[in-house]
Amino acid sequence: GAVVSQHPSWVICKSGTSVKIECRSLDFQATTMFWYRQFPKQSLMLMATSNEGSKATYEQGVEKDKFLINHASLTLSTLTVTSAHPEDSSFYICSANSRKETNYGYTFGSGTRLTVV
Amino acid sequence: AQTVTQSQPEMSVQEAETVTLSCTYDTSESDYYLFWYKQPPSRQMILVIRQEAYKQQNATENRFSVNFQKAAKSFSLKISDSQLGDAAMYFCAYLTSYGKLTFGQGTILTVHP
């Protein structure tokens, strides 16, 4: 089946530094990828939609300058958390549609646990 | 905007028994898709089952089945012969016409041996 690889699985960084998270579709091309944030025992909150070759679309309330998204190829999208602060600590998940038709469902990466100290 | 509501924060079931997780949604669209996802402790999101709104027949995947009531905007998940490996957080999700998934709050399912 379709596989989305997300790296790193976990990362610890110091306040003020930037962290990049990668999301790769391994066996299919993904023109659109989605980035979510999840707090413990809570639901997934959509942060932004990443479109290959164009600017990402951010959800209301998500800081574009803090969460930089780049989708430079059909198989790779990256999320960079800039000038990270402890409140940015969370679980970040990417997903992509593995079929032309969106109704086939989405494949999710394994997530990245970010801890900012 | 579409909303998805899961009114059961936690549920528990005995191994080999049956449990039903509830989900309701609100939409003005006539064609859409609904999903149930499972998130085990590993936190990997796993697709459990999918339902197309235009299909009257309820979807079934082995021990998992849904009760889709379109008029009532209800989409419950039934897990039969529950297994220890079914323990996870379950999310109901609605696929919008823009291709975005809207998730419910989630239900934590505990399976007792």
Side-chain angles (χ1 to χ4, degrees), chain A residues 34 36 38-44 46 49 59 91 93 102-106 108-110 113, chain B residues 33 35 37 39 42-45 47 50 89 91 95-96 98-101 103-106 108:
Chain A
F34 301 88
Y36 297 86
Q38 185 183 29
F39 291 105
K41 295 189 177 181
Q42 293 189 23
S43 189
L44 281 70
L46 180 65
T49 302
E59 296 299 303
F91 192 69
I93 309 175
T102 58
N103 54 38
Y104 276 70
Y106 291 76
F108 288 79
S110 54
R113 183 184 304 278
Chain B
Y33 297 84
F35 304 88
Y37 280 92
Q39 188 179 43
S42 67
R43 302 191 79 170
Q44 173 71 59
M45 294 289 285
L47 177 64
R50 176 184 82 242
M89 192 159 188
F91 293 99
L95 183 62
T96 74
Y98 296 101
K100 296 180 183 179
L101 278 175
F103 289 92
Q105 301 91 327
I108 298 173

Side-chain angles (χ1 to χ4, degrees), chain B:
Chain B
Q2 292 81 8
T3 58
V4 179
T5 302
Q6 293 177 248
S7 58
Q8 306 156 315
E10 297 184 21
M11 290 285 284
S12 64
V13 64
Q14 290 293 131
E15 199 174 3
E17 296 296 310
T18 297
V19 65
T20 299
L21 307 184
S22 301
C23 173
T24 58
Y25 59 94
D26 186 29
T27 184
S28 58
E29 297 180 329
S30 57
D31 289 329
Y32 49 87
Y33 297 84
L34 296 164
F35 304 88
W36 277 98
Y37 280 92
K38 168 185 178 181
Q39 188 179 43
S42 67
R43 302 191 79 170
Q44 173 71 59
M45 294 289 285
I46 301 167
L47 177 64
V48 175
I49 201 165
R50 176 184 82 242
Q51 175 77 44
E52 294 92 334
Y54 64 87
K55 288 188 177 179
Q56 293 185 338
Q57 185 174 8
N58 290 322
T60 298
E61 288 288 342
N62 300 314
R63 297 183 294 106
F64 299 88
S65 62
V66 299
N67 183 3
F68 174 50
Q69 301 290 326
K70 190 173 183 179
K73 296 180 181 174
S74 171
F75 182 61
S76 61
L77 174 69
K78 185 172 80 172
I79 305 174
S80 304
D81 185 26
S82 296
Q83 301 176 358
L84 295 177
D86 295 333
M89 192 159 188
Y90 286 81
F91 293 99
C92 177
Y94 176 103
L95 183 62
T96 74
S97 56
Y98 296 101
K100 296 180 183 179
L101 278 175
T102 298
F103 289 92
Q105 301 91 327
T107 297
I108 298 173
L109 177 66
T110 302
V111 181
H112 298 288

